[in-house]
Amino acid sequence: MFKLNLKIALRNLWKNRGITAINVGGLAIALAAFILVTMYFTYETSFDKSNPNYENIYVVGRIYPEFKTNYTSPPFAKAIKQNFPEVELAGITKGGFFELVIKKDKNTVFAKNFMQADYNAAKILNLKPNNGLEKPAGDVEGLSYLSSENMKALFPNKKDNKPEMVGIGASNSGITSRIDGGIKKDLHSNIIFDGISIRNELGKGENYGYNNYTTYIQVKPGADIGNLEQKITNLYRAELLKGETDKKTIEEIKNVSTFLDPLSNLHLRPKAGNDAPYKILIALSVLGTLILVIACINFTNLSIAQATKRAKEVGVKKVMGAYRFQLTSQFLVEIFMQCFSATILALILAELILPNFNNLFQLNLSIWHIDNPLFWQLPLVLLSITLIAGIYPAMVLSGFKPSLVLKGNFSTSKQSSWLRNGLLVFQFSVAVIFIIGLFIINSQLKYMRSQDLGFTANQVVYIKNIMLFNKPEVFEPVRERFLKIPGVKLATVATDVPNGAENGSNGYTTNGLQANIDFVDVDFDYFETLDIKLKDGRFFSSSFKTDTANAAVINESAVAKYGLKNPVGKTIRGCNIDYKIVGVAKDFKAQGFESAIQPTIYAIKNPCGNYKTQIMLKIEENKMADALIALKAQWPEINPKDGEDFRYEFLDELYGKLFKKQEQLQSVFFAAALLTIFIAVLGLFAFAKYITNGRIKEIAVRKILGASDVQIFKLINRSFFIMVIVANLISWPVAYILTKKWLETFAYRIDLPLLPFVSSALITITLTVITVSIQAKKAVKANPVDALKYE
């Protein structure tokens, strides 16, 4: 019996190979997209899961009325461990400020992030050097490790785990350091570093004002996190209130709280950060699922449409004693064969597309590795789509009544017709949502690229450097050397460049109001180099000696924050300095379009600030190449610590990376829109063929009675036209809500336009009319005699 059913299945599939090809091809394309999205989802949601204590690790952050931050001070971790028994370990880490150049003989590596961690943090984060995690012997000296990749580059022939001495910076700098070994860097982790220094204690002697560390805690399994979070907040407030007598400061401290952010949150939706990656991942997952769903709908629709061709077979089998369960099983096996073929084809397509997918998302995903969960997920997906796409058609086919079908009544029920039409409407509704989404993403990206940023990144070169230029007199001779190079118009140095990174923040008081605002420590010509516009007053100038002592420039957002009127000349106090406001800079989008411009103060002197290491040069466009060649040649003399290692990036390219996620989303929506339209039109093509073939005799009679070709075309297109209009009306409100939610993730965005909604309707209607008309043409042009000669 099975052999007979198999022969019948193969014969039917071959006989209807056009429909079979559409079914298998459409399903394979959708499955390939689903496979890629599933792999990406699995990758993005499994960061740090190799850590055995993954479920019990939290980052401790601070909440102020104006902002949240993961940065805390060194004493806080120790206080948490001492006061709360449910905390097993507490440790801190600190990121590197600059890119370290490390040399051994003729080999050089660049460590972009040489992280520091105390011993407890290393245990919490499961950091394992190749020779095992050791506790440093002293309180000051730590153990330094390079990533395994960097160790191999520096010591290609090294066989042992003995420490090595290396040079730091230029070959003739004379600066050396000890590397105690290599450490495997987990590429699938939020703890990113090229090298790491592990010490017994970090931040020794620093108080609660030094908030530039990250605190990690490991709690005991089953700990009440909500209760612990409140207790840590109370502890933090108590620590800040020690020795404090000022009533206003005491009230402000009462508004400060803390939070615990699970390690699982850090990659996609940190509490003190942007959750755009999480939203994009969810959007991609929904897209992949919807594409697969509409492919299954296509399958179901075409299978139901083909039902009449199997009616006599079902009738005969039932008369011969076949049970409905047997018939259902037979048809499900046929559907499984098609789904299995589609799955094999999908794996081939996914393998072909994967290099482009990896390039788009800057990943290194692979289908064929033993740990890939796809190998157990795919059989489940195959079984699911077989049931989803096949159970209803199998029930319809097996449900024909022999007494009717053997008399020639092969029509499916009105219920089936409504289902087919409803599924087709759903397909086009999804396609319309994708089209609208694509148009709106394109509009937002166009807006972002064309908007005035408030500063000019073009022709600004950012030079990487390890020298510290906190004092203007140290940078001045360097600036003079820069300006002697033809084409270099301006030179400056600062703690930060406008590339989307967060600035430091601190408490400043003016106009009777104390608030935490961002600070950027700069040098002369900072605003001029970036072409930032002046709103009021003046920028820093070497003509005013006090500018290096207590002058400050604030931006428009800071003026609004403090409610200042005529701010120039007023005093703002922070870091134990009374700054005189000499100017107001116009706001500029240093953090991109997703974050609102932060109130910011700029000063040349800031005892509580970071190191000024970020050099920026404004170079004439037509002299850029020559200027860079000259800079590289003169760099050992200009900056002896960096010597021969001249490294630079263009600021406009750095800033352009802020658009990367949205450009990825644009590419994905473009592919999704094409796929959904293709699958929907594929289904429509086959469905229109079925409907047209079923009305051949009706069309012949109408032509004999005088109907024109145009009238016949209108007759066939009318029902499909109505379905597409209904699909648009259903999808517009959904698309409006979804795109509005997406746009709300941007602080600076377009108004929701009407054109994408109209365009989606025109596109889907045009495609429908063309697709249906192609099928209808054959029926319209046929000779009526051929259709009616046997009547």
Side-chain angles (χ1 to χ4, degrees), residues 564-674:
L564 293 171
K565 295 180 179 178
N566 303 317
V568 176
K570 291 188 176 178
T571 299
I572 181 169
R573 182 170 179 78
C575 202
N576 298 320
I577 292 179
D578 288 324
Y579 290 101
K580 181 182 177 183
I581 299 172
V582 298
V584 177
K586 286 193 173 182
D587 284 342
F588 64 98
K589 300 178 179 69
Q591 275 82 34
F593 286 75
E594 293 178 19
S595 303
I597 295 169
Q598 297 300 308
T600 309
I601 182 170
Y602 304 88
I604 293 177
K605 182 180 180 181
N606 182 7
C608 300
N610 298 321
Y611 299 128
K612 291 188 212 175
T613 60
Q614 319 284 350
I615 297 173
M616 290 176 282
L617 307 181
K618 186 79 168 181
I619 302 176
E620 293 177 34
E621 185 175 6
N622 58 350
K623 296 181 180 178
M624 178 67 75
D626 292 337
L628 290 173
I629 292 170
L631 280 165
K632 185 175 182 178
Q634 297 181 32
W635 190 242
E637 297 176 17
I638 295 173
N639 190 339
K641 281 192 176 181
D642 280 296
E644 63 274 17
D645 303 302
F646 178 69
R647 293 151 292 139
Y648 67 90
E649 290 186 65
F650 293 108
L651 187 59
D652 56 350
E653 292 179 2
L654 270 178
Y655 192 83
K657 291 177 182 177
L658 297 180
F659 301 156
K660 186 68 178 176
K661 281 291 180 187
Q662 309 310 329
E663 287 170 348
Q664 289 172 347
L665 191 62
Q666 179 190 36
S667 300
V668 169
F669 255 84
F670 179 73
L674 285 181

Side-chain angles (χ1 to χ4, degrees), residues 507-787:
Y508 291 85
T509 304
T510 187
N511 199 30
L513 177 66
Q514 195 277 342
N516 280 279
I517 63 173
D518 284 8
F519 65 82
V520 180
D521 306 336
V522 302
D523 206 289
F524 297 116
D525 293 337
Y526 172 83
F527 299 99
E528 292 82 354
T529 301
L530 294 172
D531 196 24
I532 296 167
K533 303 297 185 292
L534 181 68
K535 175 72 179 294
D536 196 9
R538 64 175 178 83
F539 290 139
F540 300 120
S541 171
S542 55
S543 303
F544 298 89
K545 293 183 179 180
T546 55
D547 280 6
T548 60
N550 66 343
V553 173
I554 60 176
N555 65 357
E556 293 174 294
S557 293
V559 172
K561 178 81 176 176
Y562 288 106
L564 293 171
K565 295 180 179 178
N566 303 317
V568 176
K570 291 188 176 178
T571 299
I572 181 169
R573 182 170 179 78
C575 202
N576 298 320
I577 292 179
D578 288 324
Y579 290 101
K580 181 182 177 183
I581 299 172
V582 298
V584 177
K586 286 193 173 182
D587 284 342
F588 64 98
K589 300 178 179 69
Q591 275 82 34
F593 286 75
E594 293 178 19
S595 303
I597 295 169
Q598 297 300 308
T600 309
I601 182 170
Y602 304 88
I604 293 177
K605 182 180 180 181
N606 182 7
C608 300
N610 298 321
Y611 299 128
K612 291 188 212 175
T613 60
Q614 319 284 350
I615 297 173
M616 290 176 282
L617 307 181
K618 186 79 168 181
I619 302 176
E620 293 177 34
E621 185 175 6
N622 58 350
K623 296 181 180 178
M624 178 67 75
D626 292 337
L628 290 173
I629 292 170
L631 280 165
K632 185 175 182 178
Q634 297 181 32
W635 190 242
E637 297 176 17
I638 295 173
N639 190 339
K641 281 192 176 181
D642 280 296
E644 63 274 17
D645 303 302
F646 178 69
R647 293 151 292 139
Y648 67 90
E649 290 186 65
F650 293 108
L651 187 59
D652 56 350
E653 292 179 2
L654 270 178
Y655 192 83
K657 291 177 182 177
L658 297 180
F659 301 156
K660 186 68 178 176
K661 281 291 180 187
Q662 309 310 329
E663 287 170 348
Q664 289 172 347
L665 191 62
Q666 179 190 36
S667 300
V668 169
F669 255 84
F670 179 73
L674 285 181
L675 277 177
T676 50
I677 291 169
F678 175 74
I679 293 170
V681 168
L682 208 61
L684 179 65
F685 187 83
F687 194 32
K689 182 178 181 179
Y690 164 76
I691 294 295
T692 305
N693 288 343
R695 302 180 73 174
I696 288 287
K697 291 178 182 179
E698 178 192 345
I699 292 168
V701 171
R702 287 179 181 274
K703 289 187 72 175
I704 289 170
L705 294 174
S708 66
D709 289 354
V710 174
Q711 287 174 320
I712 300 296
F713 273 118
K714 285 172 66 178
L715 173 72
I716 297 173
N717 271 291
R718 183 171 59 195
S719 60
F720 293 102
F721 179 82
I722 291 171
M723 282 190 279
V724 173
I725 292 295
V726 170
N728 275 274
L729 293 177
I730 291 171
S731 59
W732 282 359
V734 178
Y736 174 83
I737 293 168
L738 294 177
T739 53
K740 191 171 184 293
K741 287 283 186 185
W742 177 73
L743 286 173
E744 285 173 358
T745 63
F746 294 90
Y748 307 98
R749 55 184 179 265
I750 59 170
D751 294 324
L752 204 57
L754 179 63
L755 185 60
F757 295 86
V758 177
S759 299
S760 67
L762 292 175
I763 290 170
T764 49
I765 289 170
T766 303
L767 286 173
T768 300
V769 170
I770 291 172
T771 304
V772 175
S773 296
I774 289 171
Q775 283 296 343
K777 183 179 179 182
K778 184 180 178 181
V780 169
K781 296 300 181 184
N783 190 338
V785 174
D786 294 333

Side-chain angles (χ1 to χ4, degrees), residues 10 93 95 113 140 158 160 288 318 323 358 390 406 435 460 487 565 574 601 619 650 705-706 708 727 739 778:
L10 291 172
T93 65
N113 181 12
V140 178
K158 187 174 174 62
D160 56 49
K318 282 194 170 184
Y323 293 103
N358 281 337
L406 294 177
I435 294 168
V460 177
K565 295 180 179 178
I601 182 170
I619 302 176
F650 293 108
L705 294 174
S708 66
T739 53
K778 184 180 178 181

Side-chain angles (χ1 to χ4, degrees), residues 58-69:
Y58 294 83
V59 171
V60 182
R62 298 176 296 139
I63 303 174
Y64 287 82
E66 304 91 358
F67 67 95
K68 290 181 179 180
T69 178

